[in-house]
Amino acid sequence: MPSWTDALRFAFQPVVNLTTGGVAALEILARPESGDVLAQARRDPELDGSLAALAIGAAARRETLLPLHVNVFAATLADLGDLAALRDAVHKAGRLPWEVTVDIVPPYTHVPHRALLEAVAVLRAEGFGVSADGVGDGDIPLRLLSDMEPDLVKLDVSLLTRSAAVRAMRTLCEQIGALLSVEGVETELQCAAVRAAGAHLAQGDLFAPPSRLPAADVYVPTLPAAATATPRTGPSVRQFVRPAALLPATASAGQVRALLNGSPDVSGAVLVDRAGIPVRSVHRSRFLLSMSGRYGHALYADRPAAKLGDPPRTVGIDATAWEVLDVVADGGRDRTSDDVTVVDRAGRCVGVVRLADLVRTLSESRVEEAAGLNPLTRLPGSDAITGEVDRRIADGRMFALSWLDVDHFKQVNDGAGFAAGDELIRAVGRALQGAASGSTRVGHIGGDDFLVLADPDGLDPLAVSMLDTPWSAGGRVVTLSLATVLCAPGSVADHRQAAAWLAPLKQAAKALSGASWVLGRAGLPGHEVRRGSAAAPAQAGGPVWA
């Protein structure tokens, strides 16, 4: 008698890393050729668990080394408490639990939250990854999502039209240490929106449609150079993580050789203990060179591969790209091309980072930054500041955007000469850089105009430093004007709105005499005069020096 499994097939869809352009994992999708086994699985936890186990078996038959994502209904987890069938299938396939992420899919209605959270804890204890699927199009309560603390949050592409919701979700992901992914990407315009939203991963027909064979190549639209600029703190290592080729610490050299020969794109292997903690790192070129010697195969084939490996160089999942470079720099010169192993908070291997990916992104960032520097002060231009403004808006952070300039600068140039004016601008730029601290960003947008982006608590020290300093050009005393707009979360949508609120404050500051400072709040009328007084009328025929 035919079994329902006879009409069941599986398809694979790549999950793409938007930074490296590589395949980060494969999601396994059930594709019944007849009947509606998925609807039955929604009502039958045992059947749903069996589907997850069969998905792992299907991947094993395709001999893929990539991490895997399998779908399980939320109700299944809450009812079963664990996924014994999935665990057994992973073991039978020779895979490790931390190579498998369980995508928990809706509906969540009537699912007992406590039972679900307890089942999630069991999965984590066994080493499985956890993903919250269908967010934005499903019914997962925000409180439950926060309590689950998934490793990955998958947004439906339809949520991209609600930018405020996406920003809020990205902030939540940063707080709970989750990666952000978007499903259902079909167009390059959607891909650009996904990147602008700060997502790390994505999947959809644009990159590669679901296929019976795991896709080796995916299409990823080129990211414009201007969009690659990164803050000085450096991008997170999460953006660069590639899947690691994992083997048990007891693997023989012959097993490693077979893996490398069968996977030409793999740059090496990571040998891990039973807990998933890296023990040795095997570099592809050095390993194969040792094995290819006159007696290499005879000497090493049946011996532990660990003897041909090196101590792994590791960084935590929360590290920045610059910290990875520090790890590389501290190692021996003969290992500069080695992958760096990325570990989670339990010390388990979650992937590797290739030096080439880091160097390419960071160098593009520095080239872009250098191209935008003002030649007089060597400070970044307005693009760098406005880009950082948009990032802080997206992160839901309160910030202060300030404009500073020299009073009557044209008269300074006319009376003291351009050389004295240039020296004054350079001095103001140096002083701004010296007064900036922490997350404060300073930009020179041309002439005597400067932009300052700071946290509100950094305003007073900077203002005092700049406005109390005696300034002069060619022996003539000059003063500075400062205008600041405070932007609370939700008060502005982008840097253009922030600039629009700042414009009248600039005029108000310039209307005052002496060193002046005017402060306003986005979304609220009026302003506060913190420095300066009403300007006196100018005497006819004479220059005005504030």
Side-chain angles (χ1 to χ4, degrees):
M1 180 177 178
S3 169
W4 61 269
T5 58
D6 295 336
L8 184 65
R9 301 292 182 267
F10 290 93
F12 302 87
Q13 184 168 47
V15 179
V16 176
N17 184 316
L18 292 173
T19 299
T20 66
V23 179
L26 292 172
E27 181 172 353
I28 316 172
L29 304 167
R31 290 290 187 263
E33 295 183 347
S34 63
D36 197 355
V37 69
L38 295 180
Q40 297 176 44
R42 179 175 170 178
R43 300 186 297 269
D44 185 343
E46 294 289 348
L47 175 59
D48 193 31
S50 297
L51 282 176
L54 288 170
I56 296 295
R61 289 192 295 274
R62 300 300 183 187
E63 297 182 348
T64 174
L65 293 174
L66 288 166
L68 305 173
H69 287 218
V70 294
N71 295 306
V72 174
F73 286 110
T76 296
L77 270 181
D79 187 84
L80 297 181
D82 69 354
L83 295 172
L86 174 65
R87 182 177 63 248
D88 293 343
V90 169
H91 178 73
K92 183 179 179 181
R95 303 300 294 264
L96 299 166
W98 37 93
E99 297 179 274
V100 178
T101 295
V102 177
D103 286 359
I104 305 175
V105 299
Y108 287 84
T109 302
H110 306 308
V111 174
H113 293 181
R114 180 180 293 277
L116 177 60
L117 292 173
E118 289 175 352
V120 167
V122 171
L123 285 178
R124 281 218 174 85
E126 293 177 348
F128 290 97
V130 174
S131 167
D133 203 350
V135 175
D137 195 43
D139 61 346
I140 182 171
L142 188 58
R143 178 177 177 179
L144 177 60
L145 179 62
S146 180
D147 289 343
M148 281 173 56
E149 295 188 341
D151 305 294
L152 177 66
V153 171
K154 289 189 174 183
L155 298 185
D156 186 82
V157 72
S158 63
L159 203 64
L160 291 176
T161 60
R162 289 131 175 112
S163 57
V166 176
R167 290 197 300 270
M169 193 55 59
R170 192 178 74 173
T171 300
L172 175 62
C173 286
E174 291 174 352
Q175 294 296 318
I176 64 178
L179 293 177
L180 182 63
S181 181
V182 177
E183 297 180 292
V185 179
E186 297 181 350
T187 67
E188 294 198 13
L189 190 61
Q190 288 177 333
C191 183
V194 169
R195 280 171 159 150
H200 308 94
L201 307 170
Q203 61 190 102
D205 288 354
L206 173 67
F207 311 109
S211 170
R212 293 290 174 85
L213 294 176
D217 298 314
V218 292
Y219 168 71
V220 181
T222 302
L223 182 63
T228 62
T230 52
R232 290 182 180 273
T233 53
S236 168
V237 73
R238 294 171 184 265
Q239 296 178 225
F240 303 93
V241 174
R242 291 176 177 266
L246 299 180
L247 286 173
T250 55
S252 69
Q255 289 175 294
V256 173
R257 183 181 186 182
L259 183 153
L260 296 178
N261 286 338
S263 307
D265 293 334
V266 172
S267 54
V270 180
L271 306 183
V272 297
D273 64 15
R274 289 192 172 187
I277 297 173
V279 175
R280 303 290 281 182
S281 174
V282 178
H283 183 269
R284 181 186 188 92
S285 297
R286 292 198 300 274
F287 175 84
L288 292 179
L289 184 63
S290 298
M291 291 288 288
S292 63
R294 186 173 182 181
Y295 302 109
H297 188 272
L299 285 173
Y300 297 115
D302 297 324
R303 301 181 67 183
K307 293 184 177 296
L308 295 177
D310 299 287
R313 298 186 299 183
T314 62
V315 295
I317 191 65
D318 297 319
T320 66
W322 293 108
E323 291 176 283
V324 178
L325 291 184
D326 290 340
V327 171
V328 173
D330 289 341
R333 292 187 178 182
D334 59 332
R335 297 192 63 191
T336 54
S337 64
D338 288 19
D339 294 341
V340 175
T341 304
V342 182
V343 297
D344 62 14
R345 294 180 180 88
R348 298 177 299 211
C349 176
V350 296
V352 296
V353 172
R354 293 183 181 177
L355 182 61
D357 290 337
L358 293 182
V359 172
R360 180 175 60 251
T361 299
L362 295 177
S363 62
E364 287 173 351
S365 168
R366 288 299 178 256
V367 168
E368 184 68 23
E369 180 181 306
L373 296 181
N374 185 285
L376 184 62
T377 59
R378 307 305 296 167
L379 289 173
S382 60
D383 286 349
I385 302 300
T386 55
E388 179 64 17
V389 167
D390 286 338
R391 278 189 287 272
R392 297 194 187 191
I393 292 172
D395 292 342
R397 295 172 57 184
M398 185 170 184
F399 63 89
L401 182 63
S402 299
W403 163 87
L404 179 140
D405 83 337
V406 178
D407 294 325
H408 311 294
F409 184 65
K410 183 179 184 302
Q411 297 178 22
V412 173
N413 274 337
D414 291 345
F418 289 107
D422 286 350
E423 181 53 41
L424 173 63
I425 295 304
R426 280 191 288 265
V428 171
R430 288 193 297 269
L432 271 174
Q433 282 184 297
S437 60
S439 61
T440 300
R441 300 286 182 265
V442 176
H444 183 193
I445 60 178
D448 63 323
D449 293 316
F450 295 87
L451 280 177
V452 181
L453 177 62
D455 293 330
D457 57 7
L459 281 175
D460 286 332
L462 185 142
V464 168
S465 175
M466 298 305 298
L467 300 181
D468 285 355
T469 296
W471 298 100
S472 63
R476 300 172 183 267
V477 175
V478 296
T479 55
L480 307 180
S481 291
L482 179 66
T484 299
V485 59
L486 292 177
C487 299
S491 62
V492 291
D494 55 27
H495 69 270
R496 296 176 183 84
Q497 286 192 9
W501 281 103
L502 185 58
L505 300 177
K506 292 164 55 178
Q507 296 178 357
K510 298 304 290 183
L512 302 174
S513 64
S516 61
W517 182 17
V518 168
L519 184 144
R521 289 170 171 78
L524 298 177
H527 61 265
E528 173 187 352
V529 176
R530 293 199 166 187
R531 290 285 188 96
S533 57
Q539 294 182 356
V544 177
W545 297 94

